[in-house]
Amino acid sequence: MKTHQPVHQQHLRESSWTLEEAEEQLDNPLTTKEGWARFVHHRPRPPQSGQDGIDDEARIDYLSELVMVNTPIIAEVTACARRLVMLNRRQVSARRGLIVTGIPGTGKTTAITALGRIHELAVRRRQPAGSPERLPVIYITVPPAATPRMVAVEFARFVGLPVTRSANLTDVVNAVCVTAVRLHVELVLVDEIHNISLATRAGAEVSDQLKYFAERLPATFVYAGVDVERAGLFSGPRGRQIASRFTTIPTTAFAYGTAEQRAEWRALIASLESTLPLAQHVTGTLTALPDYLHQRTNGMIGSLSHLIRGAAIDAILDGSEKITKAHLGAIRLDHAAETRPTSTGNTKRARVRGASA
């Protein structure tokens, strides 16, 4: 077993985050323009081999980041949303939007943030040097037990507007809309939309507030949430209006029944395997275990990423520098993955003990 030096400033400079970036990340989450800009322009870099201990910590730091890989759902969400942005370009009202919905762990947030990054980079590539400041994308999350003012404040915080306690809702909304139009916002991403319940007065008012923003801003709105149909987002007069204006894209676990589905699953495994900074790992080791990996994760991309990255960290810590089936079997996954019934109807084993490479 290797011994590791504590993380320090030299390590942070050699990892994928600088010391300054790591400190800024704490103060500026993704729901601020500073945090969003860092996300858009940051690319995780596999650390170079270096001094023992520092190199190991740098690689573990790299593995702790969720490296984004292209998936069919990201491709579909991106294609659909960017088409809507173009269709909405000259619309004065009743713009069309998109809702990404599904069970937890199927990549909803990953898909809409990937969309936002792709769109913003495309806009900035077309932006002439020296042109006025632009903010192509806004990303917010709906707080639990949200009120219209809370949502408006989320918008204000993202665009960098200070909000005092004495500021009323109308003032905050107007300031946000004026600023967003000035900054040429084209895409608004609203995550955790399932926190809105149209069955409650507060939820209905939040829905109305988002609709008002959508009417005021010349932008395409994209929502993401857990099983929004079951959450009642399409219920009642408000829900029917949402249903008539928004396209829905469901996110699901990766299916494994057909040859094409199995090929997509292996391609996802290969993408994740290609990011591993392990000295002795042989590419193709994990793609040779598609059945096992699907059984362990039931095709959930979040569970698969956690499983592979966790096994890679263990391979660094024990000095083997390669992932074996024993490494994979030692990783505990989320409760849903560990207790999900198998195709035979039995609850699957939490871990595969004593598995060999």
Side-chain angles (χ1 to χ4, degrees):
M1 178 72 69
K2 297 182 181 180
T3 58
H4 294 272
Q5 300 177 10
V7 176
H8 49 62
Q9 185 166 334
Q10 182 181 5
H11 152 56
L12 285 168
R13 282 198 297 265
E14 295 187 3
S15 72
S16 52
W17 290 103
T18 65
L19 178 62
E20 292 75 15
E21 286 175 326
E23 291 173 344
E24 288 176 4
Q25 187 181 24
L26 299 176
D27 296 331
N28 299 315
L30 201 58
T31 50
T32 64
K33 63 179 180 179
E34 295 82 8
W36 177 259
R38 186 175 55 248
F39 164 76
V40 168
H41 297 290
H42 175 66
R43 290 293 182 274
R45 301 181 298 273
Q48 301 298 315
S49 297
Q51 182 180 345
D52 186 40
I54 294 176
D55 176 61
D56 290 348
E57 291 290 350
R59 288 186 295 155
I60 291 171
D61 186 60
Y62 167 77
L63 286 165
S64 71
E65 294 189 59
L66 184 61
V67 178
M68 195 172 292
V69 297
N70 196 26
T71 64
I73 189 63
I74 288 177
E76 184 178 6
V77 167
T78 300
C80 182
R82 298 199 70 191
R83 185 185 307 117
L84 287 172
V85 168
M86 289 182 277
L87 288 170
N88 287 334
R89 189 172 292 167
R90 300 297 179 186
Q91 292 294 314
V92 176
S93 63
R95 298 177 188 88
R96 300 283 171 161
L98 174 65
I99 297 176
V100 182
T101 174
I103 60 176
T106 50
K108 296 177 296 299
T109 296
T110 300
I112 67 167
T113 53
L115 159 67
R117 170 189 273 170
I118 291 167
H119 180 75
E120 178 152 341
L121 290 174
V123 169
R124 297 201 179 281
R125 280 195 298 268
R126 299 192 303 266
Q127 185 175 345
S131 59
E133 180 187 4
R134 297 189 65 142
L135 189 67
V137 178
I138 288 177
Y139 172 78
I140 71 162
T141 61
V142 177
T147 64
R149 191 178 192 281
M150 290 167 66
V151 171
V153 168
E154 289 294 311
F155 275 88
R157 181 175 66 165
F158 187 93
V159 299
L161 292 175
V163 178
T164 63
R165 290 185 178 181
S166 60
N168 61 42
L169 176 60
T170 301
D171 291 339
V172 176
V173 170
N174 285 337
V176 167
C177 291
V178 169
T179 303
V181 170
R182 177 176 60 82
L183 295 174
H184 300 280
V185 172
E186 296 181 355
L187 187 63
V188 176
L189 309 175
V190 182
D191 211 346
E192 307 292 329
I193 198 71
H194 54 267
N195 284 335
I196 297 176
S197 172
L198 297 186
T200 67
R201 178 178 176 179
E205 290 174 347
V206 170
S207 176
D208 289 344
Q209 185 62 70
L210 286 172
K211 180 177 179 294
Y212 183 75
F213 273 124
E215 294 292 344
R216 285 281 303 270
L217 300 180
T220 298
F221 277 61
V222 176
Y223 297 161
V226 175
D227 290 338
V228 298
E229 302 93 333
R230 295 183 182 180
L233 193 66
F234 300 136
S235 302
R238 289 180 177 87
R240 287 194 293 273
Q241 189 174 52
I242 293 171
S244 69
R245 292 187 181 181
F246 281 78
T247 300
T248 58
I249 293 181
T251 61
T252 61
F254 273 72
Y256 203 61
T258 68
E260 182 180 0
Q261 290 166 346
R262 290 191 290 272
E264 287 183 349
W265 177 248
R266 285 193 297 271
L268 175 61
I269 296 170
S271 295
L272 291 170
E273 189 172 25
S274 69
T275 68
L276 298 177
L278 299 174
Q280 301 299 322
H281 186 81
V282 177
T283 300
T285 300
L286 298 183
T287 53
L289 301 171
D291 296 353
Y292 168 79
L293 292 172
H294 196 274
Q295 183 271 330
R296 282 294 311 276
T297 64
N298 264 38
M300 305 291 282
I301 186 172
S303 301
L304 179 68
S305 174
H306 177 86
L307 177 61
I308 291 176
R309 290 184 297 132
I313 288 174
D314 283 358
I316 292 173
L317 294 175
D318 67 20
S320 64
E321 293 290 337
K322 61 181 180 180
I323 294 178
T324 66
K325 200 170 180 181
H327 284 122
L328 296 167
I331 302 297
R332 287 191 179 275
L333 296 178
D334 52 276
H335 178 76
E338 298 284 22
T339 59
R340 193 175 291 114
T342 65
S343 58
T344 62
N346 299 319
T347 300
K348 67 189 194 181
R349 296 167 59 187
R351 289 184 292 175
V352 179
R353 301 183 185 276
S356 58

